[in-house]
C-alpha cells in the first residue's frame, strides 16, 4: 500500500517536506496552470505576474485544460491532464524565484539534475500525474475556475488558469527536498534488465548518424 | 441519399464518444494487465486508470484532457450516395470537429506549426486529417475518429531484408524503451507496427494498425499473427510498466500491417496508441439511420487485397 497525503494550499514548508518519492498526494485549495507562453512572457518579455500570486497558490500545474467558454462568460472544464514538464526545464530556476512555486505538477518529471540543483535548493518538490490520462478524475477535482489570465493573448491551452480544487489527485511524488527522484530510481532498476532483453540481437545493417548503444540514455 | 447534416451529426457524436467512453475491448485489456501486474507502483497506476475511465463515463467528461489530434478515417461503400459529394463529407467533418471541440469540450490542440496561431476549434490547414478507403458491394458510409496524443512513442527506421525479424524486434525494443522511460508514450497501449510500403505508407500502416484494430484481433496471415504475439511478449518482457516504473505492462496488444515494398528494403514503423486508446465509429446506412460501435473494421479483406483482381482467383505469390 502506498503512503497517502492530503495537502492544503498554499502548501506550507512542513507539508512539502513530508512528501517522499512514491507517495500519493491529493490537494485542496487553488492551483494555477503556467507553461511556455506564460514563462516566456514573464521571464523574457517583461510581463508581470498577478499581484500576490504566491499568497493564493504556490502550485504550478503544467497543464492545458480541455476548457470552453460558455455564453455567460463562465467556463466549462471537462478533462484536466498534465503536459510533459522536461520542456520547461530551462525556465525553472528563474520561474521558481519569481513565482514562489513550491509544488510543480506535470507529466514525466524533470531531468534528475534539476531536482538537485534547482528545485530542492528552493524548497520545491515535483509531483507527477498518474498514468498521464486521468483527465476525468482530475477534472472532477476541479470545483471551479477562480480566474483566468491572458486567455485572449495566449489561447485556452496556454493561458494561466486558477482552479479551485478539492481532493485533486491522485498524484505521485517524484522529487523530494533532498533531490531524490522516483523516476530516476525506477529508471535505474529498469536499466539493469536491458542487456538481457537485447542479448543476441545484432546491430542494424545501416546505422543512424550519431547513434549510440548506451541504453541508460534518456531522451529528455 | 445521405445528407450532409446526417454526416455532421455522426461526426459530432463519435467525437464525443471517442473522448469520453473507453472502448470495451481496450478496458478488458487494461483490466487484464492490472490483474497480471505484480509491482505495486505499476499496479497503482493501472487501477487508477480504470477508475478514471469509470469517472469519465459517469461524469460525461473526457477521460484525458489531451484529446490529441482528432482525425477521421472514412470508408465509403461503392453504392453509397450522399448529397454534396466528397467535399461535402469533408465540410461536414470539419464542422463536426469545431462543434465538438466547443461542446465536449475537446482541447483545441491544433495550431499553425510556425506561427502557433489557431481558431480554438481543432480545424486548420490539413487538419483534421481525413483518410479515405472504399468497400465493394456496400451502401453505407463508415466514419471513424481517433483521438491520439501526438508527441511521443512513434518512430520509423529503414531496415534491410538481411536485418530480418531480429532487426524488427530490436527496433521495437529501442522505440518502446526510449519513449517508455518516464512513460512519455503513455504506456501500456496498443502498439502498431507497419512493415513495408514506402516511407509514408509504412508510417500510415503502423498508425492504422495501432488505432484501428481492437484488442484480441489477429492478422489473417497466420505467420504474421504469430509474430504479433511474439513481439507483444518481447515488449512486456522489457521489465517496464506504466510511467517507466518497474513492471510487466507495456503492450496491451500488438498489431502488424504490411505493404509490398522495395525489393532492397524493409522499412518499419512503430506507433504506440495512448493509455487511453480512444476511437469510435459511426455507420450511416443508405436510409440515413446511424449505428455506433467501437470496432472500426477498417482492415477488410478488400483493403488488404494482394493483386489486380479481387477476390483473388487461385493466384499464388512467388519468391
Amino acid at each position: 500500500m502506498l503512503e497517502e497525503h492530503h495537502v492544503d494550499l498554499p502548501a506550507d514548508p512542513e507539508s512539502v517536506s513530508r512528501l517522499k518519492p512514491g507517495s500519493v498526494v491529493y490537494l485542496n485549495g487553488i492551483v494555477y496552470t503556467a507553461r511556455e507562453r506564460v514563462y516566456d512572457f514573464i521571464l523574457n518579455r517583461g510581463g508581470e505576474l498577478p499581484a500576490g500570486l504566491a499568497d493564493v497558490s504556490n502550485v504550478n500545474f503544467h497543464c492545458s485544460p480541455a476548457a470552453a467558454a460558455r455564453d455567460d462568460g463562465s467556463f466549462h472544464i471537462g478533462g484536466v491532464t498534465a503536459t510533459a514538464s522536461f520542456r520547461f526545464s530551462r525556465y525553472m530556476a528563474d520561474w521558481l524565484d519569481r513565482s514562489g512555486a513550491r509544488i510543480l505538477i506535470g507529466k514525466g518529471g524533470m531531468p534528475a539534475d534539476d531536482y538537485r540543483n534547482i528545485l530542492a535548493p528552493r524548497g520545491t518538490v515535483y509531483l507527477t500525474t498518474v498514468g498521464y490520462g486521468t483527465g476525468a478524475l482530475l477534472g472532477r477535482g476541479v470545483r471551479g475556475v477562480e480566474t483566468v489570465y491572458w486567455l485572449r493573448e495566449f489561447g485556452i491551452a496556454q493561458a494561466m488558469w486558477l482552479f479551485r480544487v478539492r481532493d485533486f489527485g491522485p498524484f505521485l511524488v517524484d522529487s523530494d527536498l533532498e533531490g531524490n527522484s522516483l523516476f530516476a530510481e525506477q529508471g535505474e532498476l529498469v536499466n539493469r534488465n536491458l542487456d538481457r532483453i537485447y542479448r543476441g540481437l545484432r546491430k542494424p545493417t545501416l546505422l543512424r548518424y550519431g547513434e549510440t548503444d548506451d541504453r541508460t540514455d534518456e531522451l529528455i | 441519399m445521405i445528407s450532409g447534416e446526417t454526416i455532421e451529426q455522426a461526426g459530432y457524436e463519435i467525437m464525443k464518444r471517442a473522448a469520453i467512453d473507453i472502448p470495451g475491448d481496450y478496458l478488458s485489456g487494461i483490466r487484464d494487465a492490472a490483474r497480471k501486474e505484480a509491482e505495486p507502483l505499476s499496479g497503482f497506476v493501472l487501477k487508477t486508470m480504470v477508475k478514471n475511465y469509470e469517472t469519465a463515463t459517469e461524469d460525461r467528461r473526457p477521460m484525458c484532457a489531451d484529446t490529441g489530434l482528432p482525425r477521421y478515417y472514412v470508408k465509403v461503400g461503392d453504392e453509397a450516395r450522399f448529397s454534396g459529394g466528397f467535399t461535402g463529407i469533408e465540410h461536414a467533418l470539419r464542422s463536426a470537429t469545431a462543434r465538438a471541440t466547443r461542446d465536449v469540450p475537446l482541447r483545441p490542440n491544433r495550431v499553425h506549426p510556425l506561427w502557433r496561431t489557431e481558431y480554438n476549434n481543432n480545424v486548420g490547414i490539413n487538419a483534421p486529417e481525413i483518410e479515405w478507403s472504399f468497400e465493394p458491394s456496400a451502401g453505407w458510409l463508415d466514419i471513424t475518429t481517433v483521438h491520439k496524443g501526438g508527441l511521443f512513442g512513434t518512430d520509423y527506421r529503414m531496415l534491410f531484408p538481411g536485418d530480418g525479424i531480429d532487426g524488427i524486434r530490436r527496433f521495437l525494443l529501442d522505440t518502446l524503451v526510449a519513449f517508455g522511460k518516464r512513460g512519455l508514450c503513455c504506456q501500456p497501449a496498443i502498439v502498431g507496427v507497419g512493415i513495408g510500403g514506402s516511407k509514408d505508407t509504412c508510417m500510415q500502416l503502423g498508425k492504422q494498425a495501432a488505432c484501428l484494430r481492437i484488442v484480441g484481433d489477429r492478422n489473417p496471415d497466420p505467420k504474421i499473427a504469430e509474430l504479433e504475439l511474439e513481439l507483444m511478449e518481447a515488449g512486456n518482457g522489457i521489465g517496464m510498466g506504466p510511467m517507466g516504473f518497474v513492471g510487466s505492462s507495456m503492450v496491451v496488444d500488438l498489431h502488424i500491417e504490411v505493404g509490398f515494398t522495395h525489393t532492397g528494403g524493409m522499412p518499419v514503423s512503430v506507433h504506440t496508441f495512448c493509455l487511453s486508446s480512444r476511437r469510435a465509429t459511426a455507420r450511416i446506412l443508405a436510409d440515413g439511420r446511424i449505428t455506433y460501435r467501437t470496432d472500426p473494421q477498417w482492415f477488410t479483406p478488400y483493403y488488404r487485397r494482394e493483386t489486380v483482381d479481387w477476390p483473388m482467383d487461385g493466384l499464388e505469390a512467388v519468391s
Side-chain angles (χ1 to χ4, degrees), chain A residues 2 22 24 35 37 64-71 76-81 83-84 86-87 107-112 115 128-140 154-157 170 172 174 182-183 186-187 189-191 193-194 196-198 200-208 211 213 215-220, chain B residues 40-41 44-46 48-49 51-67 101-109 116 118 120 151-152 155-160 162-164 166-167 169-171 173-175 177-179 181-187 234 237-247 275-276:
Chain A
L2 307 174
V24 178
R35 49 183 301 179
R37 291 289 290 271
S64 298
R70 294 195 184 96
D71 291 332
H76 174 197
I77 303 292
V80 173
T81 308
T83 197
F86 71 88
R87 296 173 286 164
K107 168 180 176 177
M110 311 289 282
Y115 293 141
T128 176
T129 52
V130 175
Y132 312 136
T134 57
L137 284 175
L138 296 181
R140 190 183 263 187
F154 304 158
I156 288 171
L172 281 168
D174 178 21
L182 179 67
F183 281 120
Q186 290 282 308
L189 292 172
V190 168
N191 285 343
N193 197 35
L194 293 181
R196 184 185 59 77
I197 65 167
Y198 278 92
L201 300 177
R202 62 176 190 280
K203 282 191 175 182
T205 309
L206 179 72
L207 295 180
R208 288 166 160 177
E211 185 166 50
D213 231 17
R215 299 205 178 82
T216 63
D217 271 358
E218 282 199 292
L219 298 183
I220 69 168
Chain B
L41 274 168
F44 171 76
V45 178
L46 293 174
T48 306
M49 289 308 301
K51 214 179 289 171
N52 181 64
Y53 303 139
E54 291 163 359
T55 306
T57 294
E58 278 167 33
D59 289 9
R60 306 309 297 158
R61 61 170 90 234
M63 63 187 95
C64 180
D66 186 347
T67 45
T101 298
R102 182 194 152 93
D103 289 356
V104 175
L106 307 177
R107 193 162 91 190
N109 276 334
R116 318 310 287 184
E118 60 174 319
N120 271 325
L151 305 189
F152 310 107
D155 206 356
Y156 164 86
R157 185 158 195 160
M158 177 55 86
L159 297 176
F160 295 88
D163 289 318
D166 271 8
R169 184 189 183 96
R170 184 180 160 116
F171 176 55
L173 292 173
D174 283 348
T175 309
V177 172
F179 290 107
K181 290 191 178 192
R182 296 168 182 258
L184 290 182
C185 64
C186 297
Q187 73 267 18
I238 291 172
M240 192 190 266
M243 299 176 73
F245 296 151
V246 176
L275 215 173
S276 294

Side-chain angles (χ1 to χ4, degrees), chain A residues 15-23 25 85 92 96 102-106 108-129 171-185, chain B residues 182 245:
Chain A
S15 18
V16 173
S17 71
R18 279 198 290 268
L19 302 178
K20 293 293 165 202
S23 40
V25 180
S85 298
M92 276 307 114
L96 296 182
R102 291 298 168 261
I103 294 178
L104 292 178
I105 310 174
M110 311 289 282
D113 283 350
D114 284 10
Y115 293 141
R116 285 187 292 271
N117 303 330
I118 298 171
L119 270 72
R122 289 170 173 79
T124 302
V125 299
Y126 184 98
L127 311 183
T128 176
T129 52
F171 303 106
L172 281 168
V173 180
D174 178 21
S175 81
D176 61 14
L177 289 185
E178 284 153 35
N180 299 306
S181 160
L182 179 67
F183 281 120
E185 183 191 296
Chain B
R182 296 168 182 258
F245 296 151

